[in-house]
Each structure stands twice: as C-alpha cells, then as structure tokens.
Amino acid sequence: MNTLIVSIFDCTSEDFDQFVADFHEKEGQKYFEEYELIRINEHKSNLNT
C-alpha cells in the first residue's frame, strides 16, 4: 500500500527532513520500510511511503 502525507511546517525544510529521518530510525520502521520526502517549498513537503 502506498500512502501520501502532505506536511506543512513552521521550521526549515532541513529541520523537517532531520525530524522525519530521526522518526523513521526510531519508530517509523514499524509502519513503513522506506520513504521518499519531496520538498514542495520551504514549509511544505510530501512524504510518500
């Protein structure tokens, strides 16, 4: 199953990328094996799992 999550955030894209990577390392592997994070603009990203 593929899932698309649209995220809007107040931090920088780099901070959000790091947040997602940290989450995936600690907890995310329970929910999805791999992901693709696509930056839309400085405060919006799409996460495809």
Side-chain angles (χ1 to χ4, degrees):
M1 174 192 292
N2 293 327
T3 303
L4 171 65
I5 301 169
V6 178
S7 299
I8 299 171
F9 42 88
D10 293 331
C11 60
T12 66
S13 292
E14 292 79 16
D15 288 343
F16 186 72
D17 292 351
Q18 187 61 52
F19 169 78
V20 171
D22 291 346
F23 172 78
H24 186 256
E25 182 179 320
K26 294 175 185 173
E27 297 290 327
Q29 294 175 9
K30 297 177 189 176
Y31 307 105
F32 51 92
E33 292 179 19
E34 58 184 45
Y35 67 93
E36 180 180 22
L37 189 60
I38 303 166
R39 182 185 304 185
I40 304 301
N41 62 42
E42 185 59 28
H43 298 288
K44 185 176 183 179
S45 292
N46 288 350
L47 177 67
N48 298 311
T49 64

